[in-house]
Amino acid sequence: MTGVLILGKELRRHPERARRELHARSAAASVAVRRGASVVLTLEARLRGQKESGSELVGRHLRAFGVPEAAIVREDRSRSTREEVLLACEHAARLGLEELLVLTHDYHLDRTRSLFEEMPHRATVIAPTAMLRHATELERAAILGAVPDEGVFAAERVPEALFSALAGLLRPLPTRIRWGLEVRAGALLRDSGG
């Protein structure tokens, strides 16, 4: 069985773009469910300064695209990509998922892939545009409405480089300690507003 993980997107920085990206990821997840995925995971917590969590927003989008409520696993727990990866693998083990299809945007693909390389579950990390071929007109519009341009890549380059550098500095530590530090750093940087 395959499950889908929609990675969160902090809604405080570039809020309109973040909302478009979560809409696009939800549209791509809808395509995946129609093509046989059994469940969609959305795990992002409500962060300080946000009126809602990314998971709440994604849940609404998924339902609007026709994804059955029973196929949506929504938690408001994660505050970083590392934490989302760890939680998603816990859910995958509990649900008997053999593979995760992970949806994020192009600027975030490399770091996300490197996080999943260390995990026991097989994961395919893609951008929503990879699902365009099978998308309905409504899904296609949502996906194309959030394709990153050079300005987006420029805006995301610095935080992606910082998070990758932090992961590199922590790499010599034992795995559990390193992952715990990355999760705590994400919580501190994003300060859950739950």
Side-chain angles (χ1 to χ4, degrees), residues 156-185:
E156 296 294 342
R157 196 169 287 127
V158 171
E160 285 297 310
L162 287 173
F163 287 128
S164 293
L166 173 63
L169 289 172
L170 296 175
R171 192 161 303 280
L173 296 174
T175 302
R176 286 215 175 276
I177 292 171
R178 178 167 43 94
W179 290 354
L181 288 171
E182 288 180 27
V183 167
R184 278 190 223 102

Side-chain angles (χ1 to χ4, degrees), residues 97-159:
L97 300 175
E98 297 165 4
E99 182 173 10
L100 287 170
L101 177 66
V102 182
L103 294 163
T104 192
H105 273 77
D106 302 78
Y107 56 81
H108 195 226
L109 293 173
D110 290 342
R111 187 162 63 88
T112 302
R113 286 179 180 134
S114 71
L115 293 174
F116 272 102
E117 286 173 359
E118 301 177 275
M119 302 309 295
H121 283 87
R122 202 170 63 213
T124 301
V125 181
I126 62 169
T129 51
M131 303 301 278
L132 277 172
R133 183 172 143 207
H134 304 288
T136 65
E137 192 172 318
L138 187 62
E139 293 162 343
R140 176 178 283 280
I143 292 168
L144 292 176
V147 173
D149 60 20
E150 187 49 46
V152 170
F153 277 99
E156 296 294 342
R157 196 169 287 127
V158 171

Side-chain angles (χ1 to χ4, degrees), residues 4 6 25-34 37-41 58-73 139:
V4 179
I6 298 177
R25 294 173 195 183
S26 300
S30 173
V31 175
V33 167
R34 225 179 25 262
S38 59
V39 67
V40 180
L41 307 172
V58 165
R60 283 199 312 276
H61 289 319
L62 289 169
R63 288 187 299 276
F65 283 119
V67 175
E69 186 71 39
I72 302 170
V73 174
E139 293 162 343

